[in-house]
Amino acid sequence: MSTEGSNVYGVIGDPIEHSLSPQMHNAAFKKLGLNGIYLPFHVTRRNLRPAVLGIQVLNIRGFNVTTPHKTAIVKFLDELDEAAREVGAVNTVHNDEGKLVGYNTDGLGAARALEEQHEDPSDKRIVLIGAGGAARAIAFTLARRARSIIILNRTKHRVIKLAKDIEQKLGKKILARSLARNSLLEALRDADILINATPVGMYPRTEQTVAKRKVLHSRIVVFDSVYNPMKTLLLREAEAAGAKTISGVGMLVHQGAEAFRIWTNHSPPVEAMRRAVMEQLSRR
Ligand code: NAP
């Protein structure tokens, strides 16, 4: 592959070696015949500032931001889009001729992952577990459309803050609860969609789940934002309860597709991106 004159993109994080984004975005450049290359960059917390300066100096056109930099990156950026401002975290940066603009495409990615499985979140009763970056992005996006949202989190003050932020910014009342078996059981009784936005069940701790079969039921759709493994224990428990399941792969692909659109102004080749992700995951 000739990389001469290529536009360079990438992802920064720590750790970074397991990221599927390079394969996903390079497949997109190839599919569209664009002269772009996407690389993983291992950036520790203390190296975030010099890394951002390097990105500007080297004219890297756009990059994704992953753990642990999604919040810390904000202070180094020139502008934020509405979603990134609301969530207080950034997963995509566009280097617009030296001006660094931050976006958050995680919420949109989650909404599209539901929609492509014919689960329009509008008017649905949603139960969301988590109050970290991914949960905040999902909550702000879905709160605009859902009939109701109950959010449960291990650390209560964090979920109360999220509910307050949503109420303040969108004028929508959100129920905040501590994550416990009884609160989950009660929340799920009349729910249409359950979303896990915690790392619980993610490789290598694949024996963990936020909800067991007994608290689930067949009228609910269970969406796990975790994509490695594709079929988490939560999704297996949901299947056993007769529920429809959606893996985190769709969210990964759609948050990436939206980043690709922001950087290149091209319509992203979603299916080529999905194939690249699935190919990597099936090897693990
Ligand atoms: P984060 O900001 O660190 O937040 C982690 C959240 O998970 C917090 O609410 C935390 O609760 C909760 N949590 C962690 N360990 C837990 C446990 N053992 N039991 C119960 N709750 C626990 O992380 P994030 O950026 O939101 O990412 C969370 C996960 O979302 C990631 O691991 C990834 O799998 C997934 N994700 C997927 C995509 C995708 O494209 N599919 C994109 C982004 C993220 P406390 O507040 O109590 O600590």
Side-chain angles (χ1 to χ4, degrees):
M1 176 180 67
S2 164
T3 53
E4 200 181 330
S6 289
N7 290 321
V8 180
Y9 301 84
V11 54
I12 61 169
D14 179 19
I16 202 62
E17 60 272 20
H18 295 300
S19 174
L20 299 174
S21 295
Q23 284 86 357
M24 178 167 75
H25 285 285
N26 286 322
F29 289 127
K30 190 170 171 202
K31 178 76 183 171
L32 298 189
L34 296 176
N35 199 4
I37 181 165
Y38 184 111
L39 300 165
F41 296 108
H42 180 216
V43 175
T44 58
R45 279 184 205 270
R46 61 189 283 265
N47 280 336
L48 183 58
R49 180 192 289 274
V52 174
L53 285 175
I55 281 166
Q56 281 177 303
V57 171
L58 298 172
N59 197 23
I60 289 174
R61 300 301 177 96
F63 60 101
N64 286 123
V65 183
T66 187
T67 313
H69 305 311
K70 284 184 170 184
T71 306
I73 190 85
V74 167
K75 60 179 174 292
F76 301 118
L77 305 178
D78 299 304
E79 265 178 35
L80 296 181
D81 84 329
E82 196 188 358
R85 249 198 326 269
E86 284 175 351
V87 175
V90 160
N91 76 331
T92 300
V93 178
H94 183 206
N95 182 358
D96 187 5
E97 294 177 5
K99 187 172 78 178
L100 297 183
V101 186
Y103 298 81
N104 194 310
T105 68
D106 280 337
L108 190 75
R112 293 211 170 125
L114 285 165
E115 285 158 2
E116 74 179 3
Q117 293 297 323
H118 314 290
E119 296 300 335
D120 185 340
S122 306
D123 276 336
K124 296 279 170 32
R125 291 161 298 191
I126 294 173
V127 174
L128 174 65
I129 303 179
R136 286 184 67 89
I138 294 170
F140 267 99
T141 303
L142 298 189
R144 292 189 153 84
R145 298 164 63 177
R147 191 196 306 179
S148 66
I149 304 196
I150 304 176
I151 312 177
L152 302 99
N153 193 51
R154 184 176 61 178
T155 308
K156 189 150 187 209
H157 70 83
R158 241 179 143 187
V159 70
I160 288 175
K161 163 127 185 25
L162 172 54
K164 267 194 192 144
D165 287 351
I166 293 177
E167 203 170 333
Q168 237 168 36
K169 287 180 180 159
L170 305 182
K172 184 139 184 175
K173 185 114 185 78
I174 302 293
L175 291 179
R177 300 273 183 269
S178 290
L179 178 60
R181 192 179 186 277
N182 281 349
S183 56
L184 185 59
L185 193 62
E186 193 189 317
L188 288 176
R189 197 169 295 137
D190 297 319
D192 301 305
I193 300 176
L194 168 66
I195 304 174
N196 173 39
T198 77
V200 176
M202 188 167 79
Y203 181 85
R205 312 196 70 175
T206 54
E207 77 296 346
Q208 297 185 341
T209 175
V210 287
K212 291 225 170 105
R213 175 187 183 164
K214 279 191 180 152
V215 300
L216 302 169
H217 53 77
S218 61
R219 303 177 309 284
I220 203 168
V221 174
V222 179
F223 169 29
D224 200 340
S225 72
V226 171
Y227 53 81
N228 184 20
M230 274 189 270
K231 195 173 275 187
T232 57
L233 180 55
L234 171 63
L235 297 187
R236 285 186 274 129
E237 293 284 314
E239 273 179 6
K244 176 172 173 178
T245 61
I246 300 176
S247 86
V249 170
M251 176 175 169
L252 175 69
V253 169
H254 286 290
Q255 63 76 31
E258 193 52 30
F260 188 89
R261 187 196 309 278
I262 289 165
W263 297 326
T264 66
N265 246 335
H266 283 270
S267 183
V270 172
E271 289 318 313
M273 296 172 85
R274 194 189 317 269
R275 270 197 303 281
V277 167
M278 303 281 276
E279 203 182 294
Q280 290 300 309
L281 284 174
S282 62
R283 281 192 206 154
R284 289 183 179 180

